[in-house]
Amino acid sequence: MNPVATITVIGRDKTGVVARITNFLFQQKANIEALEEQVTRGQFSMTIQASWQDNHLSKAAVVQGLEDLARGLSMEIKLRFTERRRRQRMAIMVTREPQSFQKILDGVKSGALKKAEPALVLSNRRDLEPMAKKAGLTFNFVAWEDRLKAEENALELLNEYEIDFVVLARFMKILSPNFVWRYKNKIINIHPSLLPSFPGPQAYRQAYERGVKIIGVSAHFVTMHLDEGPIIAQAAFSVQPNMSLKEIVTEGQRLEAATLVKAVKLYLDKRLDVYWGVVKEV
C-alpha cells in the first residue's frame, strides 16, 4: 500500500512558505492529495495530505528536509505517516458531565462509531476517570488553572497518542486559538442551544429565562471564536407548559449526547465539507 503522510505547518505568515514546502515534496516524489491553508491575524496554518508510490519514499530524507525547512522558516512543521484505511484515532475531552461521554463510549461499543479508535481521554477533573477506566481507556488528568501550561500539556499528549481528531464531550474550558489552530475542523463540540442563539456556558438558563418555546443543541466544529464554529448537526424539543429549568436541562442533555454521536459519525464517514464557514454534507 502506498505510504501516506499528514504534514502540518504553523507559524507567522511570510512569503513563499507554500511554494518552498510543496517544491520540496515534489523533489521527494510526493503526490499532494490535499492542501488547505489559512491566514488569520498574521498567523499561518497549512495541512497537507501527501502520498508516495511504492519505493519512491525516503522517510529519512523527508523528515530531515522538513526539519531543515522548519528551522529556515522559523515555523512549526510536523509530519506523521499513517495507514490510508486505518481507524481515526480519537481523543475525548471531558469535565464532569457523563451523558455525552457515555454515549460516545456506547457508540464505539455498538459499532455505530466503528471508524473511530478512542485512544485517549483527557480531563481537567477526575470525576469521569472511573468511567474511562471501566471502558479500558487511557485517562489523563491535566490541571487547568494555568491555561497556557495546560494547553501545552494537552497538545503534547495529543501528539504522543497520534490523535487525528478531538471530541469535546461537555469539556467545560475554552480552548485558545493556539490550540484550535492545530486541529482545524477536527475538534467537534456539543453546545446546549440552537446556535447562533445563546452562546456561552449558561445557554439553558438563558433560554429558560427568555421563555423560548423550542430549545435545542448544536454540534459544531470549534473555531477561534467561542460557539461560532460551523454547525454539523442540531436537534430540538418543545418546552412544555410549567417545565422547570431542571427538566429542560435533563431533556437537553439527552439530546446533546445523541447529537454529538451523530456529528462524530458524519465526520468519520467523510460526509462533511466546510465551505466559507458552512458545513455541507457531501
Side-chain angles (χ1 to χ4, degrees), residues 89-94 101 105 117-123 125-126 128-142 157-158 160-163:
R89 291 176 63 80
M90 170 175 63
I92 309 169
M93 296 179 68
V94 298
F101 181 35
L105 297 179
E117 179 184 354
L120 170 69
V121 178
L122 192 154
S123 181
R125 296 174 62 103
R126 295 192 178 275
L128 302 184
E129 184 173 4
M131 281 180 62
K133 290 189 172 180
K134 183 178 179 181
L137 300 180
T138 301
F139 181 92
N140 279 272
F141 167 76
V142 176
L157 284 167
L158 297 182
E160 177 185 345
Y161 283 86
E162 298 186 340
I163 296 301

Side-chain angles (χ1 to χ4, degrees), residues 15-221:
T15 302
V17 175
V18 176
R20 289 183 64 177
I21 293 174
T22 54
N23 284 340
F24 167 74
L25 292 173
F26 175 76
Q27 292 167 8
Q28 294 298 317
K29 301 180 180 179
N31 173 45
I32 296 177
E33 298 185 358
L35 186 154
E36 183 178 20
E37 62 171 307
Q38 177 181 346
V39 179
T40 303
R41 299 175 186 171
Q43 184 80 352
F44 175 89
S45 172
M46 179 170 65
T47 301
I48 296 174
Q49 300 287 337
S51 64
W52 286 260
Q53 295 294 321
D54 290 336
N55 303 319
H56 285 182
L57 169 65
S58 171
K59 284 189 177 182
V62 172
V63 169
Q64 185 61 58
L66 290 176
E67 288 178 354
D68 292 343
L69 281 168
R71 283 192 296 270
L73 294 167
S74 298
M75 303 183 89
E76 175 187 308
I77 301 179
K78 290 188 176 180
L79 166 71
R80 194 166 90 227
F81 288 99
T82 60
E83 297 176 13
R84 189 179 293 276
R85 292 181 179 85
R86 71 175 177 82
R87 290 196 296 165
Q88 292 287 290
R89 291 176 63 80
M90 170 175 63
I92 309 169
M93 296 179 68
V94 298
T95 295
R96 60 183 177 183
E97 292 185 16
Q99 294 86 357
S100 292
F101 181 35
Q102 185 62 60
K103 197 74 172 179
I104 291 289
L105 297 179
D106 292 344
V108 172
K109 186 175 181 180
S110 70
L113 301 179
K114 62 184 178 181
K115 295 181 181 179
E117 179 184 354
L120 170 69
V121 178
L122 192 154
S123 181
N124 62 311
R125 296 174 62 103
R126 295 192 178 275
D127 301 55
L128 302 184
E129 184 173 4
M131 281 180 62
K133 290 189 172 180
K134 183 178 179 181
L137 300 180
T138 301
F139 181 92
N140 279 272
F141 167 76
V142 176
W144 220 270
E145 287 76 19
D146 181 340
R147 187 171 76 170
L148 178 60
K149 183 62 177 176
E151 289 191 346
E152 287 177 355
N153 292 338
L155 286 169
E156 287 176 4
L157 284 167
L158 297 182
N159 186 57
E160 177 185 345
Y161 283 86
E162 298 186 340
I163 296 301
D164 294 303
F165 74 108
V166 179
V167 177
L168 305 185
R170 295 297 277 150
F171 179 69
M172 302 305 291
K173 292 292 181 182
I174 297 173
L175 299 174
S176 74
N178 180 62
F179 190 104
V180 174
W181 201 266
R182 286 161 169 75
Y183 288 89
K184 182 185 176 185
N185 295 336
K186 293 183 181 296
I187 305 177
I188 300 173
N189 184 42
I190 187 69
H191 182 75
S193 83
L194 289 174
L195 292 173
S197 298
F198 307 126
Q202 298 295 324
Y204 287 130
R205 179 174 293 279
Q206 292 175 58
Y208 175 74
E209 291 175 349
R210 289 286 192 89
V212 300
K213 304 307 180 187
I214 296 176
I215 293 178
V217 300
S218 303
H220 65 98
F221 286 122

